Amino acid sequence: MIKIRGLTKRYGDFDALKGIDLDVAPGEFLVVLGPSGAGKSTLLRCINRLCEPTQGDIHVDGQRVTAERASLRRARRQVAMIFQHYNVVPRLSVLKNVLTGRLGAMPSVASWLQVFPRRDIEIARECLRRVELEEKAELRTDTLSGGQKQRVGIARALAQQPKIILADEPVASLDPKTSRTVLQYLKQASRELGISVVCNLHQIEYAREFGERIVGVSGGRIVFEGGPDQLTDEVLHRIYPGLDEGTAKAASPARAAATPPRHDFALEEA
Ligand SMILES: Nc1ncnc2c1ncn2[C@@H]1O[C@H](COP(=O)(O)OP(=O)(O)OP(=O)(O)O)[C@@H](O)[C@H]1O
């Protein structure tokens, strides 16, 4: 579904991404794990060209994504995004926020006038049902909690009927219980609808719990690729250079449940 080859992103003389090769399968839930500044957001933003790669090729659903208008339009229809700070419009209703996910599929006149065809409203309501917020459809979005706003963010992404969802630290602003609920909604939708998800996370525990495959990024390179059960102490040290022994042990599978975290990027506070 996504094929990335030799992706490099340079800011001035700083290489944020250094030759990334990565494949994402249809329907796969891939977690990208790594410390702050590793290049996770840059990687996601290069996939839908919010950020222009310096070098390398990205294919989405078999088509090369380029800066050319038609290519960008096609890619952006297929790729939806979920943001850390939700990016909802506070004064709009929940339903209207979800309907903005339909704008790319609508004729321009209808989208300028914000006149939504009945079919689009049905799609938006169905997406709200998936995140169990249908009864909040008519409320202003600023009356919702953080977790509910992120569920609106998920519904809006689903309303786009994408093949891929890129989620950039979607639970970084939420408490642990809400984070798990939000990730469960996202994973369930991915599974039921066959949508590939690339989800940037800071928390090792969530990566292990939700990732079907995990990619560890450090210093702009992929330093690990494997299943959640392969996330050993040695691998954690590779992803988080300088990680202290106690935290690595706390995050290792056998001890994760029993040992409290010491870094916010390592484990949630229970
Ligand atoms: N527009 C920019 N101009 C210059 N440097 C940038 C720009 N955007 C990102 N960077 C740098 O590129 C590197 C990677 O940033 P990126 O945001 O991708 O990291 P990240 O892994 O997502 O970090 P975090 O988890 O803190 O969001 C960082 O060193 C960052 O300072």
Side-chain angles (χ1 to χ4, degrees):
M1 184 52 62
I2 306 176
K3 183 172 149 188
I4 299 173
R5 291 294 177 270
L7 175 62
T8 298
K9 176 64 190 177
R10 193 166 299 135
Y11 294 111
D13 56 4
F14 173 73
D15 286 337
L17 295 176
K18 301 170 182 163
I20 300 278
D21 294 329
L22 180 65
D23 292 298
V24 184
E28 180 175 30
F29 197 102
L30 178 79
V31 168
V32 180
L33 196 60
S36 192
K40 304 181 299 296
S41 296
T42 305
L43 172 61
L44 248 58
R45 293 163 64 82
C46 282
I47 294 174
N48 66 354
R49 225 75 181 196
L50 282 177
C51 176
E52 188 60 26
T54 307
Q55 263 173 18
D57 282 332
I58 298 173
H59 286 78
V60 166
D61 199 22
Q63 307 244 22
R64 184 158 176 259
V65 185
T66 67
E68 190 237 326
R69 212 181 154 96
S71 168
L72 271 185
R73 210 175 139 76
R74 190 172 48 236
R76 292 203 179 140
R77 259 209 307 265
Q78 293 175 335
V79 183
M81 203 141 183
I82 296 173
F83 305 88
Q84 176 181 343
H85 298 295
Y86 327 128
N87 281 25
V88 290
V89 184
R91 62 189 165 73
L92 284 187
S93 73
V94 166
L95 182 65
K96 279 213 167 147
N97 266 289
V98 177
L99 275 165
T100 61
R102 298 297 308 149
L103 289 176
M106 285 167 54
S108 358
V109 178
S111 66
W112 287 333
L113 298 174
Q114 288 204 20
V115 179
F116 295 99
R118 185 187 300 256
R119 174 74 192 125
D120 291 301
I121 295 172
E122 278 168 15
I123 291 170
R125 286 197 183 277
E126 171 57 28
C127 295
L128 278 174
R129 261 195 293 282
R130 282 197 177 276
V131 296
E132 296 185 280
L133 280 181
E134 207 201 358
E135 77 284 3
K136 308 267 188 206
E138 315 308 331
L139 293 183
R140 268 176 67 128
T141 308
D142 53 7
T143 64
L144 302 188
S145 68
Q148 289 170 332
K149 283 181 190 152
Q150 193 56 295
R151 282 153 64 191
V152 174
I154 294 173
R156 178 183 54 200
L158 295 175
Q160 198 179 319
Q161 300 185 317
K163 294 186 172 161
I164 297 162
I165 292 179
L166 307 176
D168 198 2
E169 295 181 27
V171 297
S173 311
L174 302 174
D175 65 69
K177 185 164 175 275
T178 312
S179 296
R180 285 203 159 83
T181 308
V182 164
L183 288 169
Q184 271 155 7
Y185 281 116
L186 184 56
K187 187 156 183 184
Q188 189 171 338
S190 154
R191 194 182 298 132
E192 290 175 4
L193 300 170
I195 299 171
S196 307
V197 174
V198 184
C199 182
N200 283 354
L201 289 177
H202 270 286
Q203 304 89 339
I204 297 166
E205 271 316 285
Y206 301 156
R208 211 171 250 139
E209 200 173 324
F210 294 94
E212 289 168 359
R213 190 159 61 98
I214 297 167
V215 163
V217 177
S218 188
R221 296 183 202 281
I222 291 182
V223 295
F224 167 75
E225 237 183 298
D229 52 339
Q230 291 170 274
L231 215 50
T232 58
D233 291 5
E234 184 274 319
V235 168
L236 290 175
H237 278 286
R238 223 187 298 155
I239 301 174
Y240 297 99
L243 182 71
D244 68 78
E245 205 55 43
T247 304
K249 285 198 189 314
S252 76
R255 290 168 235 204
T259 318
R262 293 210 270 155
H263 290 316
D264 66 350
F265 60 73
L267 285 169
E268 70 187 55
E269 292 290 344

